[in-house]
Amino acid sequence: MSGSTFGKLFRITTWGESHGPAVGVTVDGCPAGLALTENDIQVFLDRRKPGQNKYTTRRSEEDTVEILSGVFEGYTTGTPISLLIHNKDQRSRDYGNIAEVYRPGHADYPFQKKYGFRDYRGGGRSSGRETIGRVAAGAVASLLLKELGITVTAYTKSIGPYTVKADAYHLSEISENPLFMPSNEVAKKAGSYLDTLIKELNSSGGTIECIAQGLPVGIGEPVFDKLDALLAQAIMSVGAVKAVEIGDGIAVSNAIGSENNDSFFMEGEKIAKRTNHSGGTLGGMSDGSCLILRASIKPTSSISRQQHTVTVEGQDTEISIHGRHDPVIVPRAVVVIESMTAITLADLLLQNMASQMEHVKKIYAEDKNVE
């Protein structure tokens, strides 16, 4: 299987299956000298850990990370960083009834047709548990960005019909409710909505918004490797994501040019924008304003409600999916979206160092006293 690696200079490769002995990631290309400990990574993993409240799967995993390589005496060495997280609470027996049928909304059918074989225990590589490696790598990328004064923050903007309006954000409240919404008031309403769906053996989708602040101008390449294009690839590679928006997103199709264009003005000696409909990108490059993206997350596919499907032999049947599943994926996916954004930005920042001869000279000519 190819396609488990993302990035050019800051490269990550995730590995492992949902019901295997462990999952993890190898991070290659992280500069030497970055302060990094297991606790730095654990903080991120704890944000996606299962079993934290009634809106997450009851699978009980500590998700404790181990650094196997690439760090010495608390600093990265420049060599590949290998991170491992053991699986400890697998219940493969919960998936016995789906070994011979295809679950609606899951990757079972195309996986079987592509490879002629599939690990039906929790979906194998198609499981959301694969995202643990992304989050661990995202912790490393976020530390790198922090060294450059860049912050990435994600949160739940909506759950089903309940949306936090942009003028009602209280970012300090994100960590105060189990849905990670920037409004405790809206989170309470969304929670009641989810309670109803749980009783109905159903699930919900929602939207995650992510912002990055402190980006310099010019990150991203003007043609195929546009900042927004690579962000879209990174975010769409998360299993439950069905759409990605940058800035105003699909709303631009109903706008007119005079409204959609972001006017420039001088803010002291700095060029700034009066609005940010573009979401922080122009021509595939960062424009120095706040980067804004949104990911639309589908409802959890694994629901206990009876559904129509077919067997591997091609016979019509019905299925009720048992086991421990999230009634909504969105809250635990918040840190996944944040991590993939950080990884993309870290990679493009490293690539950008070679965009001008002046940048190269700052690195190599200084020791030779070249002017």
Side-chain angles (χ1 to χ4, degrees), residues 257-316:
S258 58
E259 296 173 343
N260 186 67
N261 288 342
D262 298 311
S263 298
F264 292 108
F265 72 101
M266 292 304 300
E267 191 174 51
E269 297 183 356
K270 178 184 177 183
I271 296 176
K273 300 191 309 182
R274 297 192 184 278
T275 54
N276 192 21
H277 300 296
S278 70
T281 71
L282 287 172
M285 298 167 284
S286 58
D287 62 18
S289 57
C290 181
L291 175 70
I292 304 174
L293 66 85
R294 285 175 298 282
S296 298
I297 311 293
K298 72 175 184 176
T300 313
S301 297
S302 293
I303 56 177
S304 298
R305 177 176 288 202
Q306 203 79 6
Q307 300 178 85
H308 295 287
T309 187
V310 297
T311 67
V312 294
E313 288 82 18
Q315 298 175 328
D316 288 318

Side-chain angles (χ1 to χ4, degrees), residues 159-162 188-198 203-205:
I159 296 287
Y162 296 95
K188 185 176 181 180
K189 295 177 181 178
S192 297
Y193 171 69
L194 290 174
D195 291 339
T196 300
L197 290 179
I198 291 172
S203 60
S204 175

